[in-house]
Amino acid sequence: MDVESKEKILLAIDQAMEHCQKAAGATNELAERDRFQELHQSLSGHRFHLATVQDDYPIDNDFVLEAKQRDALTFSRFNQKLLESVLTDSATKLSDADSIASFSDRVSQLSVRSVNSMKNPHELPDTPIDFRRYAKAVTSGEGWEDQVRYALDDEVRTRAIVFGGESLPDDSPSRPTKHLGAVLETGILAAQEAARNPNAPLSPDQDAALEAVVRLRERPALLVQKDNFPELPDCWRRLNQFRACIRRRIPCTGRIDWRPGEMVGTGFLVADDLVMTNRHVVEYFADPPPAPGGNWKIWARAKPTIDFKMEHGEPERSIFAIQSVAGVHPAQDIALLRVATQAAEPAGASLPAPVGLAGPGVSRGTDLYAVGYPYVDNENATPTEVIRAIFDDIFQVKRLQPGQFNSMFAEYGVFSHDCSTLGGNSGSGIVDVASNLIIGVHYKGKYRQANYAVAMWLLSGDDLFRDLNFLGAT
């Protein structure tokens, strides 16, 4: 894209942003004011990324590609027709919210079209998990069937299960409505069949029911209370020797709310007043800088906090105000938040001890755990009744989620893991059990495939993290 065209679009964005500010100040209608403010925020993000991106910006990371599609980050390979369309708009007076919204949409389309036209030579694998391979492990041990049936009476919950294929609207007559007990019975029979014959054909309902059984047995999500967790399932009893160490890590993780009672993700303390989380969590309450070298700005209407407690059935709180955005990584989905050093509730309380960050040294099968606040199925693929049955309507509270390291994708700077997570776990630290140090930051999952975390040891030399404790003591 030539400099002249770029400058014209930047000028048009500046004019639209100025109009948004004036219009928001002139209207007495709250909804209309909010609309102009949201458009201003959207345009501000477009402008920043358009102004700062380089013509030959490399796409060397799957998350970068995804983030640029989501946030409409602008690249140099613009679709010519859309470019001409935007330049035409820039010559038109942007006088109302609809025209500004249309203009903003065109800039977004321009970005997405250009990204889609670029080939990414390093695509993350897209291979669904075959849960039949877990059948022998699940069916081992006397009385395993009853352990599955009674798991729901314990404080063991997993991420939700899709069964029956594609997601359906809530009022669809075809939507599955099976009682969870029936689902588990189906899963028990499917596990027995797959243990006898690993290649046994399973129906969609049997396959999903088998996943329910596997996750209840193999990848639980344990409720945390008083910085402790309940008795572990048989397959995770080996973690009991690390219980004291794990309990030391639990207090440094908290629930991030963008305003009181409205959760947006998870974060964990990495320095005396710094919390690490995902960039996409921060985007719920802050805007990127309008110009290079500037600072992210927390919205005036936002009152972000982090609560290091928020445990099920426990009234105790440990709420600290989030004061500013200390930094956002330019490529990876990571951000640092500056927090108050004294609690708002209970007043004057101190922050918990921060966690250290680990260097490399993990391999496939390494035991890990996440601590976070699972909330929703972001894919909207899971029947509501199944989610409610498995989680017992207990969401947005602290959980311990054990799992294992799966694969390293160095070219993306990420690794995959199989801790059971949901939306709300965004920003959870992934902890190596043996060292009790953070090795990654969970940022997304693909249903029936894997969860992904940014590999922190690859960022140990990054300027944003130079003051953090890598390879710190446990």
Side-chain angles (χ1 to χ4, degrees):
M1 175 175 156
D2 62 86
V3 175
E4 183 179 356
S5 296
K6 182 175 179 178
E7 290 301 322
K8 286 181 180 178
I9 294 179
L10 288 174
L11 178 61
I13 293 175
D14 289 340
Q15 292 171 345
M17 289 174 63
E18 182 179 358
H19 177 79
C20 283
Q21 286 182 314
K22 290 180 179 178
T27 181
N28 293 322
E29 295 291 333
L30 181 61
E32 191 70 6
R33 185 184 307 135
D34 285 345
R35 189 178 180 201
F36 276 112
Q37 288 175 342
E38 289 172 2
L39 285 169
H40 185 277
Q41 293 161 8
S42 172
L43 289 165
S44 175
H46 294 327
R47 192 196 192 289
F48 170 69
H49 297 301
L50 175 60
T52 57
V53 74
Q54 300 299 313
D55 285 348
D56 295 319
Y57 195 97
I59 301 184
D60 56 0
N61 177 298
D62 183 70
F63 173 76
V64 175
L65 179 62
E66 179 181 300
K68 293 183 189 309
Q69 290 172 312
R70 186 191 70 237
D71 299 331
L73 307 190
T74 309
F75 288 85
S76 60
R77 299 181 186 176
F78 287 89
N79 176 283
Q80 188 61 37
K81 188 173 182 180
L82 277 171
L83 174 58
E84 292 171 358
S85 171
V86 171
L87 290 176
T88 300
D89 279 349
S90 71
T92 305
K93 185 177 181 181
L94 298 169
S95 58
D96 56 47
D98 288 334
S99 63
I100 294 173
S102 174
F103 175 74
S104 180
D105 286 344
R106 287 177 182 273
V107 176
S108 298
Q109 291 174 35
L110 194 68
S111 306
V112 173
R113 293 278 186 90
S114 63
V115 172
N116 288 340
S117 69
M118 303 176 76
K119 293 183 178 179
N120 181 3
H122 308 291
E123 294 185 356
L124 286 169
D126 232 14
T127 306
I129 296 172
D130 184 351
F131 282 91
R132 291 176 299 183
R133 67 178 180 169
Y134 297 101
K136 283 191 177 181
V138 168
T139 58
S140 64
E142 186 177 350
W144 70 271
E145 301 97 326
D146 287 338
Q147 290 181 32
V148 169
R149 294 183 183 108
Y150 298 144
L152 296 177
D153 296 329
D154 301 329
E155 292 179 303
V156 180
R157 301 290 185 268
T158 70
R159 67 163 292 165
I161 312 302
V162 167
F163 65 102
E166 298 178 357
S167 73
L168 299 167
D170 290 338
D171 58 353
S172 169
S174 301
R175 190 174 182 83
T177 56
K178 292 182 180 178
H179 187 275
L180 183 62
V183 173
L184 294 183
E185 292 300 328
T186 299
I188 289 170
L189 294 175
Q192 292 170 333
E193 177 63 23
R196 289 191 295 267
N197 178 12
N199 297 315
L202 300 178
S203 70
D205 282 10
Q206 289 174 317
D207 191 40
L210 175 58
E211 181 186 357
V213 169
V214 169
R215 291 195 181 278
L216 280 169
R217 289 266 288 167
E218 301 292 319
R219 296 296 181 267
L222 306 164
L223 286 168
V224 170
Q225 293 177 304
K226 299 185 183 301
D227 294 329
N228 201 356
F229 51 95
E231 187 64 25
L232 292 158
D234 288 347
C235 60
W236 286 103
R237 293 286 170 83
R238 61 185 180 277
L239 295 193
N240 278 329
Q241 62 181 311
F242 300 103
R243 181 177 286 266
C245 294
I246 294 172
R247 290 191 64 186
R248 290 206 300 271
R249 286 291 170 258
I250 289 175
C252 75
T253 297
R255 192 185 96 167
I256 296 176
D257 289 8
W258 82 276
R259 59 185 183 184
E262 297 190 29
M263 176 188 166
V264 292
T266 297
F268 55 96
L269 201 65
V270 291
D272 290 340
D273 62 348
L274 286 178
V275 164
M276 185 173 288
T277 187
N278 290 142
R279 171 191 171 125
H280 73 261
V281 171
V282 175
E283 287 172 339
Y284 280 103
F285 56 83
D287 286 329
N295 297 318
W296 282 62
K297 186 176 181 180
I298 294 176
W299 303 343
R301 67 182 185 277
K303 303 294 180 186
T305 59
I306 182 167
D307 186 345
F308 292 99
K309 289 294 186 182
M310 193 54 74
E311 300 171 349
H312 176 60
E314 298 294 332
E316 186 179 0
R317 294 289 178 264
S318 180
I319 301 175
F320 291 77
I322 294 172
Q323 298 176 326
S324 63
V325 180
V328 174
H329 197 271
Q332 295 288 12
D333 193 359
I334 295 183
L336 293 174
L337 300 171
R338 187 82 58 187
V339 298
T341 55
Q342 291 190 323
E345 182 183 345
S350 299
L351 285 163
V355 63
L357 304 170
V362 295
S363 58
R364 186 176 182 85
T366 297
D367 286 340
L368 311 171
Y369 66 88
V371 179
Y373 295 79
Y375 177 25
V376 295
D377 177 11
N378 283 335
E379 296 171 345
N380 196 30
T382 307
T384 302
E385 63 273 19
V386 178
I387 293 180
R388 287 177 174 169
I390 294 178
F391 282 89
D392 201 19
D393 271 337
I394 302 174
F395 299 102
Q396 304 186 54
V397 293
K398 189 177 283 191
R399 290 178 184 268
L400 176 77
Q401 297 146 294
Q404 292 186 326
F405 183 97
N406 288 346
S407 300
M408 182 68 207
F409 304 96
E411 64 271 35
Y412 308 103
V414 306
F415 64 87
S416 62
H417 66 90
D418 61 9
C419 303
S420 288
T421 62
L422 280 176
N425 273 108
S426 292
S428 293
I430 305 299
V431 186
D432 169 36
V433 170
S435 68
N436 210 30
L437 298 172
I438 298 281
I439 64 168
V441 183
H442 173 81
Y443 70 92
K444 75 171 184 177
K446 291 185 177 181
Y447 179 71
R448 300 295 299 271
Q449 293 177 35
N451 292 316
Y452 296 96
V454 177
M456 284 308 303
W457 66 85
L458 297 180
L459 301 176
S460 60
D462 194 285
D463 286 344
L464 182 60
F465 310 123
R466 62 181 179 272
D467 295 328
L468 302 186
N469 181 26
F470 282 87
L471 297 173
T474 60

